[in-house]
Amino acid sequence: MNVALAPSQIAALFPAYLIVGHDGRLRVIGPAVAARLPGLLQGSALTEHFTIEPVDWTAPTSNDGQSVRLSAIHHNRIQLSGSAVTIDDGILLAVNLMPSAAALESGKFALSDFSPTDPAVPGIIHLALQRQILSDAHRTANEPDQERNRREELWQRISRIAGHMAHDFTNVFSIITLNARRLASEGRLSSDDRRLARIIEKTVERGAGATHSLMTMAQQQHDSPAPVSVDRIIRDNRHFLSTVAGPSVEMSFDLRCGDAACLVSRSGVLHALVDLIVQSRDAMPHGGTIAIASALRPGDAAAGELLEVRVERHPAASSSASCEVSSMPWAAASVDNSSKPSLVGVDEFVRESGGAFSHREDAHLSAFHLPVVSPSAAPATDQASSHAPPRADIAGVRVLVVEDERFALEALIELLTGDGFCVTAASTYGSAMAALHEGVYDVLLSDVVLPGGSGVALGDWVSRERPWMRIVLMSGYVPDRSRFGSGWSFLRKPLDVSLLRRLLGGV
Amino acid sequence: MYGMIHQALREMVLERHGATAWHEVEQAAGTGPAHMISASVYPDDVTNRLVAAVAQRTGRAPEVLLEEFGRYWFGFAERGPYGSIMRFTGRTLVEFVDNLDRMHQTIQTSMPEARMPSFRVAESGPGFLVVDYSSTRKGLAPLVVGLFQGLLARFGLAGTITIGDAPDGRVRLHIAYGSGDG
């Protein structure tokens, strides 16, 4: 049966069709080809514009036609593929566009250029769908990263605020401590008043401990792993940890590792302890005791000696119902349970530090083990990093005190003058430099953060120009020790007055 | 509906009202990232909850929100990997609408559960286009009006869209348009 089709009907079926006369010249050009190849003219030879496979395409072997493939000579992105069918006045090339991926990307092709039955169309659309799915997968994979970045950014902002607040608090604590000490040394005070002054000092000491811990945690981004004594970290932060536990929980410490050091970050240890304490505290709504204990344990041959930290909770006696409730947070907690990030965080920290973490709900016990590093790797102590024996006779030791907090400076002057030191005061970097040029000193006692400069810069200058002078820096911030010169000492604010005296007396 | 609709709604809320607003929408609708996979098909109830929550959060009537969302849709689709499908569907307004059913049918071979609307060009001429629309879903006429406004804008055009009835029970859209320059 023969069916006669009008050119528009052929175009609807094969938008890229061509009709070639028996002389090999183009007679009709389908709209999709005409739009793509405007230089294609009726009457021109097909072979001027296309290379054709097979070469004997002009002799179709059956009524179904012969497969042909045309490649545009002057537009290498365009190829046509389909069948050559003999018709009355020539050959119908019932072909479809086969655009390259690049040509498709150019956006110059549209659905209308393709036959309704062209298998390329689903391919093109499905490719776009696949890209969308990949894009979704990529976005989904990135979402945790973005969330982590947002949290990190938020943490850094909180850290900065916490750091500034902690610094201000330590300055205030320093002023209170120094002036309480001045008060206590007043000869005319009664013993009761002196006892009150001592209470003020002790209270400030506790507040300062918590503030220092806050600052250490706030500055965790600068806290890289280093050999540190875990016992010392716990001891230095025991007030802070007790504050975290809250008033209904009693904390006990049994630390037996001495100076044994582990290669960890200070804030990492603190975070782990805080997380474990918070979990324990939340599991004991009626209060109780949290016992923190450390001990050295023999590890296997590869691991060497291990430092074990145990956090054990002992709930206060309560009804069975409340016991059940109190155990729920722990029952839900698992190192593998992402809904309990605290324990997961502890586990990650410990594993990253080369150790192992375990949690036994039935025993109300969490423990982590960290490899002990050799003692030679342990750093200098946190406070007063260089020690010298105190000298009995301190009269006449010339101290340049640089402190921008007026009341702290005033208290320091009075305290040190009373001890017999010969004190010169400065409150800015500039005035300190002027004093250094004008006078001769044995000791520089300077705050790290100063108007117009820094105590570190002062120390550098003194090290270079006045090498005989001893340098003691003090700060409420956790300092970057890498900026300190060798032999410098550091005192954390609020100042421990007896330590200060010992340091200055050792000149 | 398929997840790309949800993605677009999320992007619109994020762009115009911020992350907190979207968080509140998700809370109210009871949805999460699992409802945002573009090639997945979700029950209409999920989409309806999201639309209702966005309308509530943004203080808009649902039909106003749907029209606004329709206008937003094409810009959103153009920016992502679906942009190539948009460009492939048509180079002119009429060609685009004429090819919509074919494009939807092809997509449906990948997402057999998806229920796609149908758009047929009933008539076209200089500055006007008559489209017959049908869908198994009811109440989405404001969305379709917004979609055509967005489509006109995509081709640099502007115009008015009025809704009537087509003889075969479809919804007939009369679109009169001109250059979007002014």
Side-chain angles (χ1 to χ4, degrees), chain B residues 59-127:
Chain B
R60 288 163 169 74
E63 57 271 22
V64 173
L65 173 72
L66 283 174
E67 192 173 318
E68 182 183 346
F69 176 59
R71 283 195 296 272
Y72 179 81
W73 167 259
F74 278 102
F76 168 79
E78 195 83 40
R79 290 196 295 271
Y82 274 114
S84 62
I85 294 183
M86 294 291 163
R87 291 186 287 279
F88 187 59
T89 302
R91 287 159 294 210
T92 65
L93 174 67
V94 176
E95 184 183 35
F96 190 98
V97 180
D98 217 17
N99 284 332
L100 268 176
D101 278 3
R102 189 176 168 193
M103 188 264 283
H104 281 157
Q105 284 161 12
T106 309
I107 288 178
Q108 200 155 21
T109 60
S110 289
M111 294 189 282
E113 325 90 285
R115 288 181 291 142
M116 301 289 189
S118 168
F119 297 90
R120 285 186 199 154
V121 175
E123 203 179 340
S124 69

Side-chain angles (χ1 to χ4, degrees), chain A residues 213-228:
Chain A
S213 301
L214 178 66
M215 186 171 291
T216 303
M217 294 182 75
Q219 294 182 338
Q220 69 157 356
Q221 63 270 30
H222 303 303
D223 186 16
S224 52
V228 291

Side-chain angles (χ1 to χ4, degrees), chain B residues 28-80:
Chain B
T31 60
H35 298 98
M36 296 291 145
I37 310 298
S38 60
S40 291
V41 177
Y42 300 98
D44 283 358
D45 174 53
V46 177
T47 311
N48 293 338
R49 288 205 312 266
L50 275 170
V51 169
V54 175
Q56 171 79 23
R57 175 62 180 76
T58 59
R60 288 163 169 74
E63 57 271 22
V64 173
L65 173 72
L66 283 174
E67 192 173 318
E68 182 183 346
F69 176 59
R71 283 195 296 272
Y72 179 81
W73 167 259
F74 278 102
F76 168 79
E78 195 83 40
R79 290 196 295 271

Side-chain angles (χ1 to χ4, degrees), chain B residues 110-147:
Chain B
S110 289
M111 294 189 282
E113 325 90 285
R115 288 181 291 142
M116 301 289 189
S118 168
F119 297 90
R120 285 186 199 154
V121 175
E123 203 179 340
S124 69
F128 80 95
L129 178 65
V130 179
V131 180
D132 290 345
Y133 151 77
S134 70
S135 170
T136 56
R137 299 182 176 90
K138 301 299 172 196
L140 295 183
L143 174 67
V144 174
V145 169
L147 282 170

Side-chain angles (χ1 to χ4, degrees), chain A residues 161-184:
Chain A
I161 294 168
H164 290 314
M165 288 178 65
H167 176 250
D168 287 349
F169 270 117
T170 51
N171 276 333
V172 170
F173 286 145
S174 201
I175 293 168
I176 295 172
T177 300
L178 291 169
N179 285 289
R181 179 58 62 97
R182 284 168 69 190
L183 201 59

Side-chain angles (χ1 to χ4, degrees), chain A residues 137-151:
Chain A
H138 184 68
R139 193 198 64 243
T140 306
N142 281 338
E143 269 174 2
D145 272 349
Q146 288 166 352
E147 182 59 25
R148 200 161 33 245
N149 289 341
R150 277 194 291 271
R151 285 172 187 274

